[in-house]
Amino acid sequence: MEYFFELFFSGLTRGSIYALIALGYTMVYGIIELINFAHGEIYMIGAFTALIVAGVLSLLGFNELSILALAALAAVVYSSAYGYTIEKMAYKPLRKAPRLSALISAIGMSIFLQNYVLLAQTSDFLPFPSLIPDFHFLEPIAHLITSAEVVIVVTTAVVMVILSFLIKFTRLGKAMRATAQDKDMAMLMGVNVNRVISFTFIIGSATAAIGGVLIASHIGMINFYIGFIAGIKAFTAAVLGGIGSVPGAVLGGLVLGWTESFATGYVSSDYEDVFAFTLLVLILIFRPEGILGRSTTQKV
Amino acid sequence: MMRIFSLEEIKKSFFTCLWFGFLTFPIMVVRVNTIEDVVEWRWNNLIIVVFGSFFLSFLWRYMIERKEAGRKKAESGEAEKKPLVRRIMDNPRIYRPLLAAVAIFVLSFPFLFSSYQTNIMTTALIYVMLGLGLNIVIGLAGLLDLGYVAFYAAGAYTYALLNYHFGLGFWTVLPLGAVVGAIMGILLGFPVLRLRGDYLAIVTLGFGEIIRLVMENWNEFSFGPSGIANIPRPGFFGMDLSLTAATNYIYYIMIGMVLITIFFVNRLQNSRIGRAWIALREDEIACQAMGIDKTKTKLTAFSLGATWAGMAGVIFAAKTTFINPASFTFLESAIILCIVVLGGMGSIVGVILGALVLILLPEYLRAFSDYRMVLFGATLVLMMVFRPQGLVSDVRRVYQFKGATEKGE
């Protein structure tokens, strides 16, 4: 039973991270119907920025908590900046082009960013400092769940609540929903569509960066390739929950996290990634609209 | 041109370069060495980025403007000037001698250059074949297949395993590789038929990764990451060939295969099924309304595309004599995609050009080869933004009605 709970919590943590990255996918897809292939890379860049900032600050002798705060802030700022720039350069000129073109452009961006970090930094795995402090009140159940895991799960929940609030109740959220429904009509109603799309990319990238910092300090290792696999898995989570839906992304992330965790725990750990990919293929074949998504019929 | 250097434009570029300086600062400039606890500051990178982005931003805006102008021209009905390659190809007086010169060069290549060069050329030719195969799926049928490398792997493993267990030779396995590729194409094709374009891309990507991961982990079947070594080269009527002769021999086999591929793809393109693919690419719903069987059309595209990858895989295994799963990563699929996109989707000449440029340039410009993948990524983005039709755009066959007695193109 203890093993079960261990797997349960590790699945919950994994799932939360997938959910944080999936939020970006789902929001971007909801608005411009593009799979932002470079989203995983934004997450990776967030983790690298945090690593670099934390490294510099720890040499300057800052204390742990301020390092965590500043590194996370830098990661969020830089990831958002990258997300914004990528949209302006690689997607905006293609908004009226066929969807295939934008997707190929996104794949190109992903390959470009991966190798840019590879060349500018290193191809080795870098040790990432564990920035999250240990909580004392967790000691009795420390063998089941670590404080880093608690922080990850709580952060995901908070981010999801904030995002849902933002989308439901603010002016920006209203503009986002309008743009998602009908871009041209929203424009006629005075919504600045370009700005809404930019904001969507910025918010999505920021959540990915938070995920990047949390997972990197939990696992303790990063390299330039982490974004690719994480990106595909987060995409799986987004599709699983129903792409375009914020609670769906979180639900999908959790389901995927548990699937992976239990499958590796009880079946075989060699095929960790195979389970995720198989799940993705199966959902897309049997229920492409996802758990919470609604199926749409194509109109002519 | 003068307008580009106005004060307004310089200001824009100035802000762009500041922005890029900020953007690339932590990753390009700072490097933390966590083992020795020192920070490396590489300020010269910052200077390169700032100056580079300052000048490139002029170019970027100029290109965007030119593209807009081109679009307006096309809208007002002004005929676009034919691209250079197309003009050459339409003129038989240049085209025929050029073709003859290329043929002579290609046939005498192994005698003119060292076997190292021949080897590189063979690799490039394998990519030509892969590009032409993927061109069927992406260029003609408009299905974005990101797991194309899985079929390539299937071909390579078919040869390696059949040879290891049953001692089958190259020429026996070559058609088998094609069959295995086609079957796998159909197997993958069936479940993904209902998916729309972008979902299809992700599923095929997942499929490609599953194949690679299984090959890596299923030691009993595929010998895992250590791969299979000592795969025999193609036999030449039972003779023992020296290494140079074997290299040349594979080169000529590859030339033959590429010619066959070109012939088939060209014939396919203008056939009933080829036209059905193009219709499917342009508009799926309209295509169905015209009575085209969507299922059959997609499946043939998948399986015919995969056939070439299967054969290319067999040749690859015979050429390198060693295969392991590391040769079949997603990046390989991305390179093949890049070849098709750079060359021009749907255009045979374009794909051949694209493969030669992308495979040979990094080989000969060694300084360049570190930046290979960065440039591939950038190529994909830039081609999509500025020239989505590729280097050599595909010309559609035009049927014109010229009265009751005369029929022609």
Side-chain angles (χ1 to χ4, degrees), chain A residues 6-73:
Chain A
E6 210 175 287
L7 292 177
F8 178 85
F9 285 123
S10 94
L12 188 67
T13 323
R14 261 172 208 255
S16 303
I17 295 293
Y18 293 150
L20 277 176
I21 310 171
L23 283 171
Y25 270 115
T26 235
M27 287 172 62
V28 167
Y29 193 90
I31 293 220
I32 54 172
E33 296 211 331
L34 164 76
I35 297 174
N36 181 11
F37 225 85
H39 192 64
E41 268 55 59
I42 289 177
Y43 148 88
M44 178 265 295
I45 283 175
F48 259 97
T49 312
L51 173 73
I52 290 163
V53 171
V56 172
L57 290 181
S58 70
L59 285 183
L60 292 176
F62 279 70
N63 71 341
E64 245 181 33
L65 218 60
S66 57
I67 289 179
L68 174 65
L70 286 174
L73 185 71

Side-chain angles (χ1 to χ4, degrees), chain A residues 78 82 99 120-121 284-285, chain B residues 27 31 42 194 198 203:
Chain A
Y78 268 97
Y82 271 92
R99 277 162 64 150
Q121 293 285 322
L284 282 178
I285 292 162
Chain B
I27 288 179
R31 180 149 61 185
R42 299 166 295 174
R194 298 191 306 151
D198 31 11
V203 172

